Amino acid sequence: MKGTVMKADVVVIGAGVIGAQTAVQLVDRGLSVVVVDPGPPGGEQAASYGNLAWLSSHSILPPASPGVWRQVPKWLFDPMGPLSLRLGHLPRALPWLLRYLASASTEEKLRRTAGHLRALLKGSPALHAEMAARTGLSHLIDANSGLMHVYRDRAGYQADALGWTIRRDLGITCEEIEADDLARRQPDLSPDYRFGIFVPEAGQCRNPGAYCAGLAAHAERFGAQRIAARATGFRAAGGRLQSVVTTQGEITCGAAVIAAGAQAKALAAQAGDSVPLESERGYHFMVEGDAGLAGPTTSLMAGDRKVVVTRLETGVRCGGQVEIAAADAPADWRRADILRRHLAEMFPGLDTSQGRVWMGSRPSMPDGLPVIGAAAGLAGVVHAFGHGHTGLVGSARTGQLVAQLVSGETPELDLSPYSPARFR
Ligand SMILES: Cc1cc2nc3c(=O)[nH]c(=O)nc-3n(C[C@H](O)[C@H](O)[C@H](O)COP(=O)(O)OP(=O)(O)OC[C@H]3O[C@@H](n4cnc5c(N)ncnc54)[C@H](O)[C@@H]3O)c2cc1C
């Protein structure tokens, strides 16, 4: 369509899980929608493809915590550690990193963020189940699986005690699992793990990429159009959006949603909001095969390694950890091999000699909260990005909130904690 002009009520920029959920909600309201993305929905370019599939309504703590800075040097020098940093990128990343540490420097700040994330994520597994039922994707959502955190011993758990206390204070049930019970419930897990916490309210997706693609396909079946293009900016008149400019031409529209994940920063700036969005890269290593593979019965996170192991319909996936690097820096596949080694140590019965590797970018804000809300400088533009480690679980409610905003309904949640104005 290069050079030509299309028309739509709403342009959704980005076909990751945030854009796909939003598109479904918008077409349901009878709006005409164009989804713009240079890649396929839920394709390997998107974080929504390769994540760990947790529908973790209890993931309400930002990755940083009070005093975490003391552990950073140890992590950086540990080749198996949960954090890596490309030194060349440090000058650019430093302001974000300092903000990231500062935003979780006290218990009060941590509790505030946890409260805001809880408001967004509470009930999310059920919301995903409803969405999956509406879109013919129920086979991809298990809203009742529960999720597990495992530790080598109770002392390891107690080192995370503040986070668990905050969760309990916010009404999240967390069941303790002693060694014998853990061995019974996770027979393939290394006996090095002797304590666990089970969170019954959480769920999991069985194939995040397929879920995202399925949502986008549903939106298309109900009238959404998809353009393989990159959005490059906006055209405005009198402070109001007129069109979205893309590499394939312009799309005249009444509203646009920026759901471009880790690449949303430049578009947000064009809409009047300068936001500290950074890419927190993550890798996965995946042993492909059927359910006969050794691995977790319930998806779990190892507290000492900061990695998650999930059984998907396509195999067993291990991922997590964080790499801070320039968005366009080549992948460091040694990070994926580190995940392979963690997986082999946690599940000794699993053949990890072969597997698929992937790298993607979490769209992360330094305070651990996403950016959802109207743009300051361009009426008609709505932000929906920055979900960091919780974009899959948070996508169902985000799609609802954004559709409510775009269609002039009162959002079901007070959006001020997620407003881009918090960075002004
Ligand atoms: C290793 C790892 C594990 C994770 N595990 C979990 C988990 O278990 N549970 C959970 O809830 N979250 C998890 N996450 C986080 C989650 O994957 C992300 O928060 C979420 O996928 C972000 O979705 P998104 O739609 O905002 O971005 P993305 O999925 O990255 O999609 C953004 C899309 O925008 C497109 N785009 C970019 N720029 C433009 C442009 N200019 N024009 C048009 N299109 C554009 C891109 O091509 C892409 O398709 C994990 C992330 C990683 C990396």
Side-chain angles (χ1 to χ4, degrees):
M1 73 157 204
K2 197 153 194 163
T4 63
V5 177
M6 288 182 76
K7 267 194 176 169
D9 292 326
V10 192
V11 174
V12 176
I13 303 171
V17 73
I18 301 291
Q21 293 269 8
T22 303
V24 172
Q25 295 281 352
L26 292 169
V27 295
D28 268 11
R29 285 168 170 76
L31 295 166
S32 63
V33 174
V34 174
V35 179
V36 182
D37 195 314
E44 292 201 21
Q45 82 288 349
S48 302
Y49 169 86
N51 62 52
L52 275 303
W54 272 31
L55 301 178
S56 43
S57 41
H58 68 296
S59 287
I60 55 173
L61 295 155
S65 56
V68 75
W69 56 270
R70 283 191 216 103
Q71 298 190 52
V72 169
K74 187 182 88 187
W75 284 345
L76 289 176
F77 286 106
D78 175 1
M80 295 278 278
L83 178 67
S84 76
L85 176 67
R86 303 269 178 103
L87 278 181
H89 185 56
L90 184 58
R92 273 195 61 192
L94 195 60
W96 184 91
L97 282 168
L98 292 174
R99 251 169 143 156
Y100 173 85
L101 294 175
S103 66
S105 59
T106 64
E107 183 177 333
E108 191 196 343
K109 290 181 186 174
L110 215 57
R111 284 186 180 272
R112 199 180 323 130
T113 300
H116 296 324
L117 268 181
R118 181 64 176 160
L120 194 66
L121 302 184
K122 191 175 176 187
S124 287
L127 278 185
H128 281 279
E130 274 168 39
M131 178 54 104
R134 259 162 68 192
T135 53
L137 301 170
S138 291
H139 59 292
L140 294 179
I141 296 295
D142 187 350
N144 302 309
S145 62
L147 292 171
M148 213 180 263
H149 293 248
V150 295
Y151 296 92
R152 287 178 185 261
D153 49 28
R154 187 176 273 277
Y157 156 70
Q158 277 157 351
D160 284 350
L162 176 59
W164 289 110
T165 302
I166 292 174
R167 288 185 176 110
R168 287 193 173 97
D169 290 349
L170 286 167
I172 298 168
T173 300
C174 313
E175 298 169 2
E176 298 190 1
I177 312 170
E178 299 295 345
D180 289 351
D181 196 17
L182 183 59
R184 192 180 52 74
R185 290 167 72 164
Q186 296 282 4
D188 296 335
L189 179 66
S190 157
D192 292 346
Y193 290 91
R194 302 185 51 77
F195 188 81
I197 293 283
F198 179 65
V199 183
E201 69 163 51
Q204 78 154 91
C205 176
R206 294 201 185 94
N207 186 336
Y211 181 47
C212 183
L215 292 171
H218 176 89
E220 285 180 52
R221 275 196 301 279
F222 285 82
Q225 293 183 69
R226 188 157 56 82
I227 309 287
R230 178 170 293 281
T232 54
F234 306 102
R235 205 161 50 74
R240 215 203 135 82
L241 176 72
Q242 299 296 305
S243 64
V244 172
V245 182
T246 82
T247 47
Q248 293 293 319
E250 260 180 59
I251 309 165
T252 307
C253 55
V257 179
I258 303 178
Q263 295 172 61
K265 188 171 174 157
L267 289 167
Q270 290 195 48
D273 287 300
S274 166
V275 290
L277 172 67
E278 177 69 44
S279 147
E280 263 188 280
R281 307 210 306 188
Y283 294 76
H284 80 219
F285 175 85
M286 179 147 178
V287 180
E288 293 181 300
D290 60 23
L293 291 172
T297 49
T298 301
S299 179
L300 54 81
M301 177 171 198
D304 54 338
R305 303 170 191 265
K306 311 275 184 249
V307 302
V308 168
V309 184
T310 301
R311 184 184 296 285
L312 301 176
E313 62 172 10
T314 47
V316 174
R317 180 177 286 180
C318 177
Q321 308 202 322
V322 167
E323 181 190 53
I324 306 290
D328 55 356
D332 176 359
W333 294 116
R334 287 173 305 180
R335 300 299 311 168
D337 192 56
I338 287 167
L339 292 168
R340 183 190 64 74
R341 283 154 58 197
H342 280 302
L343 180 61
E345 287 171 16
M346 288 173 69
F347 289 95
L350 192 65
D351 178 3
T352 55
S353 58
Q354 296 204 18
R356 269 174 68 86
V357 295
W358 170 86
M359 185 274 290
S361 291
R362 300 178 188 88
S364 294
M365 310 308 297
D367 59 358
L369 293 172
V371 177
I372 306 170
L378 195 48
V381 175
V382 173
H383 300 300
F385 59 83
H387 291 72
H389 294 240
T390 55
L392 171 64
V393 56
S395 64
R397 181 156 285 113
T398 299
Q400 254 175 18
L401 291 167
V402 170
Q404 287 161 352
L405 264 184
V406 167
S407 49
E409 299 162 30
T410 306
E412 65 193 37
L413 210 63
D414 169 21
L415 290 181
S416 54
Y418 321 105
S419 163
R422 68 190 193 270
F423 299 111
R424 268 175 228 145

